[in-house]
Amino acid sequence: MRFTQVDGRTPCVIGVARHTWHPRSDVTAPEPLEMWQAIALEAAKDAMSKRDPLKRVDDLSVVHCQSWQYDDPAERLAQRLGLAEGERSVSILAGSSPQRMLNAAAERMLSGESRVALVVGGEALATTARMRRDGESPKWSSPHPNPTAFPLDFDEWFLPTELAHGVIPAWLTFALLEQARLAAQRTDFATYRNRLGHILARCCAVAAENPHAWFRDRHTADEIITPSVSNRMVAQPYTKRMTAFMDVDMAAGVLLATHDEADALGVPHERRVYLRGWAFARDATHVGGRADLGRSVAIEAAATSALRAAGVTIDDIAVLDLYSCFSAALGFATDALGIGCDDIRPLTCTGGLPYHGGPSSNYMSHSIGRVVDELRNRPGEFGLVNGIGMHMTKHVVACYSTTPGPSCMPDYAAIQEDVDREQPDREIVASPSGRAQVVAATVLYARDSTPSGLVAVCELPGGQRAYARSTDSGVLEEMSDGRWIGRTVELKAGPGNINLLGIPSGYDPGSGRRESRELQ
């Protein structure tokens, strides 16, 4: 292959590294800063270059760390590695962060502002969880003088009515989206849930073969979707084995360089994997505000743009790693990409966030590294990764290949305009009353797998949306299989600005007439 026609500013991955401090090993995980340093050194070795690429890094990005808040994480790492002056950045809390940081670094390379970039992240969440159980706390270096209780702007991400109704944790919001997708699929609950089990069992099998995965036990589809003592219900339709697992000790990093700089460093051509296309788009910030809760227009737009930039279609992609914090994330991505249930390609090459483990915001560093390794063994083929931030809100998609090609910056504004035009946000009303239609609902469960409550998104006659809650045991049982999506309910004001969901008078679900009930 001739490389003489390649634009010298074209970005390519030259080194990747991943490490897991397994719970059954005798090695204790170090603090995150030491993890990042070790991973950076390993990524530099992975480049197999004639010169040390770390000495040329002028662009350093550190993925947000949830395990420990440092005073200046990027600068602390730069000092440890002896990096030259240059760009320094730290991401916010978001699963899309690693790829978005690589995108930004690639764009700086194309603009001539950067030559070699390092993106690194790591979490010691298993260690901190163990310390909490033992009544201890970390004594790690360079603590932030004023650590925040939670690294999110709640005013930006949550409406007062969402806080009142508890529409906060991801396992709840993704369960709502999963139930909306179920309704859109026009299939029965049992068939849909069995399908999820088989999809996740395939992911679990990949993790079993991945030495970096946190969980390497194989589970059948039935073992994944069936509640048990070791697999409690979380929120319908999710059991514990169907949800991302964050409490892991893991680190990963990626070294990106321009094509010319890779030449100057003496990086062998077979070690290079080119970033061929990338894009980013957002769905509505608030789950209830999405016109269609069973679909992601933003993933569709970002994927279309990234594939077009790479000059390929989804049929040309040989290696996939789709974000899998919950099966809804996989389903929305396969819908957007046009990947059918009969597609033989694995949807993940790590095992996914429930089985490989999802180290807070840094999972994509692991998935990108795994895709890079796969493509190095499959020259000329293409890989695709995607990542999700917040409640199926932020979507990044990127295509990679060992074959270089033209690289161009995406028109983010135009992509987002297309998304907003196709699916404008719905207004969310805080305290409505009267009849409404359920567009998504999920039953929540206590730790003993007994139903503890219900949260629903309802549509009002004028098209606005509202959240509602219930704790009535009879209705929880009726609504647990998704039959209520599309049905009419009655909303009434409750304490603390909570909308209480009730059954309209005379409702007959097929097993006898019921009187109106307020569900509290």
Side-chain angles (χ1 to χ4, degrees):
M1 180 181 296
R2 293 180 61 83
F3 291 84
T4 54
Q5 301 303 312
V6 181
D7 184 333
R9 300 169 298 175
T10 301
C12 58
V13 175
I14 59 171
V16 293
R18 306 178 298 288
H19 191 86
T20 298
W21 289 263
H22 288 286
R24 291 182 292 274
S25 70
D26 295 329
V27 180
T28 303
E31 70 169 277
L33 181 57
E34 293 180 14
M35 289 182 171
W36 306 339
Q37 180 182 10
I39 284 298
L41 295 171
E42 286 299 315
K45 290 181 183 177
D46 182 69
M48 296 185 179
S49 56
K50 295 178 180 177
R51 300 174 183 83
D52 183 0
L54 293 179
K55 295 189 180 301
R56 303 286 285 177
V57 169
D58 54 10
D59 197 324
L60 172 64
S61 298
V62 176
V63 178
H64 173 269
C65 181
Q66 196 164 327
S67 311
W68 183 252
Q69 294 183 51
Y70 290 97
D71 54 1
D72 191 347
E75 191 55 40
R76 293 291 181 184
L77 179 59
Q79 291 170 2
R80 285 198 171 214
L81 295 173
L83 302 186
E85 293 294 323
E87 179 75 21
R88 304 280 189 269
S89 63
V90 179
S91 81
I92 60 172
L93 178 69
S96 56
S97 294
Q99 184 60 58
R100 291 190 69 188
M101 287 178 145
L102 285 169
N103 296 349
E107 289 159 16
R108 287 190 287 270
M109 290 176 181
L110 291 172
S111 299
E113 303 168 36
S114 175
R115 297 173 302 182
V116 181
L118 171 64
V119 175
V120 66
E123 294 284 1
L125 289 167
T127 295
T128 56
R130 184 177 65 252
M131 287 180 173
R132 283 195 303 271
R133 290 193 297 269
D134 295 340
E136 302 173 358
S137 58
K139 302 292 191 293
W140 294 333
S141 66
S142 308
H144 196 289
N146 299 298
T148 56
F150 198 73
L152 274 181
D153 184 343
F154 270 65
D155 291 338
E156 174 188 0
W157 287 103
F158 299 103
L159 299 171
T161 185
E162 290 173 321
L163 296 175
H165 288 86
V167 186
I168 301 172
W171 48 260
L172 188 160
T173 56
F174 277 81
L176 287 170
L177 295 168
E178 188 81 74
Q179 297 282 37
R181 182 174 181 265
L182 160 61
Q185 295 284 310
R186 300 186 182 279
T187 188
D188 64 273
F189 180 80
T191 300
Y192 184 83
R193 200 155 183 263
N194 286 335
R195 189 181 301 159
L196 297 184
H198 286 289
I199 291 169
L200 292 174
R202 290 178 64 191
C203 297
C204 184
V206 173
E209 300 298 323
N210 180 2
H212 295 289
W214 194 254
F215 298 114
R216 300 191 63 192
D217 297 327
R218 291 180 182 267
H219 294 289
T220 66
D222 284 343
E223 289 171 336
I224 289 171
I225 66 173
T226 303
S228 66
V229 173
S230 60
N231 189 38
R232 64 182 177 87
M233 284 298 303
V234 177
Q236 194 65 279
Y238 297 145
T239 63
K240 187 66 176 172
R241 289 188 184 128
M242 299 172 74
T243 66
F245 188 81
M246 281 181 45
D247 288 349
V248 296
D249 292 340
M250 290 180 175
V254 181
L255 270 170
L256 192 74
T258 65
H259 178 80
D260 278 354
E261 193 64 25
D263 282 346
L265 289 167
V267 178
H269 289 303
E270 60 270 18
R271 304 302 293 171
R272 307 180 195 185
V273 176
Y274 291 82
L275 180 55
R276 290 287 304 269
W278 62 94
F280 173 82
R282 296 171 60 114
D283 284 314
T285 298
H286 306 292
V287 173
R290 295 174 194 177
D292 186 348
L293 273 75
R295 171 189 174 205
S296 172
V297 176
I299 297 181
E300 295 170 12
T304 298
S305 179
L307 288 165
R308 184 186 300 121
V312 295
T313 70
I314 190 60
D315 293 335
D316 299 314
I317 300 297
V319 181
L320 291 162
D321 196 276
L322 304 183
Y323 205 79
S324 56
C325 49
F326 303 91
S327 52
L330 284 172
F332 277 55
T334 53
D335 292 347
L337 291 163
I339 297 174
C341 295
D342 58 348
D343 199 302
I344 63 172
R345 290 173 292 185
L347 300 181
T348 174
C349 55
T350 68
L353 283 80
Y355 315 113
H356 168 275
S360 189
S361 299
N362 196 48
Y363 169 77
M364 284 200 79
S365 295
H366 295 264
S367 66
I368 294 163
R370 187 78 174 183
V371 167
V372 166
D373 281 343
E374 290 281 329
L375 292 176
R376 283 169 169 169
N377 293 321
R378 304 171 71 165
E381 295 191 332
F382 283 80
L384 180 144
V385 297
N386 85 299
I388 295 172
M390 291 304 292
H391 305 295
M392 197 78 81
T393 303
K394 306 174 184 179
H395 302 282
V396 66
V397 180
C399 296
Y400 291 88
S401 178
T402 56
T403 303
S407 295
C408 60
M409 302 182 199
D411 187 340
Y412 294 112
I415 295 170
Q416 193 60 49
E417 286 172 5
D418 289 342
V419 173
D420 296 341
R421 187 184 307 110
E422 182 168 351
Q423 190 161 236
D425 294 1
R426 298 289 185 88
E427 178 187 0
I428 298 177
V429 180
S431 301
S433 62
R435 297 291 178 91
Q437 186 180 66
V438 175
V439 293
T442 183
V443 175
L444 315 180
Y445 293 82
R447 296 192 72 86
D448 62 358
S449 290
T450 58
S452 62
L454 175 144
V455 174
V457 178
C458 302
E459 185 164 313
L460 306 175
Q464 305 99 324
R465 297 281 176 73
Y467 298 102
R469 286 180 63 182
S470 166
T471 55
D472 183 278
S473 59
V475 174
L476 298 188
E477 182 178 352
E478 289 177 6
M479 297 186 75
S480 65
D481 63 359
R483 287 180 293 166
W484 274 72
I485 294 180
R487 300 295 181 89
T488 299
V489 294
E490 189 167 349
L491 302 180
K492 294 186 178 182
N497 297 316
I498 293 174
N499 302 316
L500 301 177
L501 185 149
I503 304 173
S505 298
Y507 170 72
D508 185 352
S511 58
R513 194 175 182 82
R514 294 181 182 271
E515 295 301 318
S516 177
R517 291 184 293 195
E518 288 186 21
L519 311 182
Q520 301 184 37

